[in-house]
Amino acid sequence: MSPSRRLLVLLAVAGAVPLVEAAILVRIGFVSPRALAPQATAVWPYDTYHDLRWVFVYHNSWLTFALGLLAAIALRGALSAILVRLAWPAEVPRPPLGELLRRNLGIAALTALIVAPFAAMSFAASAVALSWFVFVSLGPMIVIAPFLQRMSVGPGGWRGLPSAELFGWSLLDLVVLSVAGGLVWSAGSGWTPVVALGAGMVNGLLWNRTVRAALIPQHVRLARAPVTPIVVVLAMAAPLVVQILQAPPTGTTDTFDPPIFDRPLAASVPYAVILLAGHDSAYDGREAADPRVRRFSYAGIDADGRPLPYSSRSTRQSLTRSALLLAAQIDVLHRRTGRPIALIGESEGAMVARTYLRDRPGSPVQVLMMFSPLARPGRVYYPPPEANSGWGIGTGWLLRGLFGVINLVSASDHTPDEPFIRSLIDDAPFYRYRTMCPVPGVRVIAFLPTVTAVEAPPGPYTGIPVIEVPAFHASFLGRATVSNEMVDFLSGQNLERPRREYGVMQRLGSAWQAPPLTITLNPVWRERLPPGQGSFLQQRLCA
């Protein structure tokens, strides 16, 4: 077969697989994961990342988990062998197909082992809606991609540094997949398969250039050094390092101190205010500067109604338990001041406040301000450790293993089974669809860091006013502008400030999320499904 004919066949094969995946998703009306389709023929390791996220979400027993992994490895190895063979440059002797098949099956198994922790982190991001899990899952793969690409074409690929050209093609691959995912998601249903076909054909061109760059490097630096194993080990340690850096300093006693806590309330504010800190916060029992302002305590109140000091461990209790404690503190403050209540919650604190308002209509609360709320958590599921089956059972144990390793090398003692996290995934129909929805009789607003755009599928995500702030999660509550807007809203002003780039970031990030588990497949969720929700709809917010 001539080189030009082989290139045409390469483009056809690379385009056909995403086309089929996109067509199936369109046929069943499953909108959210369409952005993953272009990765079906991506260059290592993004193709395996694509496969594992599907397997990690859509298995409901140990048997289906094992069979899914084996099938993913076998199919990926076979497909990659075909793509590598078709992309092989004419001036380099080409090994037999059988040799390429054996090599790529081995690389598929090795890549699955390497990528599994990162795919599990993407799964965790869909469980708790925290963007840092997305970045932790994707960042190391960007580093190891050119090293794995060399290994798939020759026996000496584990030694030496990839060429600058190979690094360049690998980074372009990341950009192409991000843009292609956004385009596929944005296209109308009739055009989605066509766009996926085009994205797959671009993958074919990238295979052509990547294989060539891996086989014909200008100069291999450190040609005798086992660079690839070293880089892979360092990349796999990245989540551990991030977790250690994120751990709060030893002896921390108060990790939430917005300006409104240390200043008297403006005369224009007619409410008493309760401030709710987020996960892993701590409180030393200090009183606010204004007697109309109180800190919510995850440990409850004393006999005089004052919030008790608490440690970060107290924030790990279930949202239902925290909402019950909040109810008692609201009642005390409302009776003492005679004023309606405004709740200002950050991260987990916002979820506690939203849970309270779900369960207690007609409460004294008239204002809810949510800072960095978890906008779309509960998109995946894993059963509790005592279960023998259930959707995501294998991934749940993988997460427990990862957190166990992290806990061994850091000061952390978190687990994926903390009551707070289980609250989010067990009651996913509410937190997934109604967190960002109006509450009758309550003025609600959400302040969202723009980084949340990569946490959830694109499209409508809110039924309430939002102010989008260029920031990371839970990092902007003390800003002067935000503090002024907080007082303005408490004083009765209506605010809203969306940002144009938010929707663009949603689309670019859509390719790197795990596919959501459909609500009606999971018996745990089915009975809690809001009226009017469909099994394969991307979302029916606030229905």
Side-chain angles (χ1 to χ4, degrees), residues 96-123:
L97 178 60
E99 180 181 332
L100 278 178
L101 181 60
R102 288 190 297 272
R103 167 163 293 280
N104 280 272
L105 283 172
I107 295 298
L110 176 62
T111 304
L113 180 65
I114 294 170
V115 171
F118 309 131
M121 287 294 178
S122 176
F123 180 97

Side-chain angles (χ1 to χ4, degrees), residues 28 50 58 61 92 112 122 145 156 202 218 250 256 263 269 315 321 376 388 422-423 458 535:
I28 64 177
H50 162 275
Y58 282 94
S61 68
V92 178
S122 176
V202 174
Q218 295 292 329
T250 303
F256 179 71
R263 303 171 187 170
V269 176
T315 65
R321 168 64 179 165
R376 292 289 308 282
N388 296 318
R422 289 235 61 95
S423 297
S535 60

Side-chain angles (χ1 to χ4, degrees), residues 68-196:
L69 283 176
L70 290 175
I73 291 171
L75 292 173
R76 182 54 57 192
L79 179 58
S80 296
I82 293 171
L83 293 171
V84 168
R85 183 175 175 84
L86 290 171
W88 204 273
E91 59 267 40
V92 178
R94 186 173 58 184
L97 178 60
E99 180 181 332
L100 278 178
L101 181 60
R102 288 190 297 272
R103 167 163 293 280
N104 280 272
L105 283 172
I107 295 298
L110 176 62
T111 304
L113 180 65
I114 294 170
V115 171
F118 309 131
M121 287 294 178
S122 176
F123 180 97
S126 292
V128 297
L130 286 176
S131 57
W132 84 269
F133 282 116
V134 177
F135 299 134
V136 166
S137 73
L138 186 57
M141 288 196 303
I142 297 172
V143 175
I144 65 177
F147 295 89
L148 293 176
Q149 290 157 11
R150 286 186 70 227
M151 292 181 65
S152 68
V153 299
W158 60 281
R159 292 182 180 273
L161 287 172
S163 65
E165 181 184 8
L166 188 54
F167 270 108
W169 287 117
S170 179
L171 289 174
L172 180 60
D173 191 30
L174 174 76
V175 174
V176 166
L177 292 173
S178 299
V179 174
L183 291 175
V184 167
W185 196 94
S186 301
S189 294
W191 287 99
T192 295
V194 178
V195 178

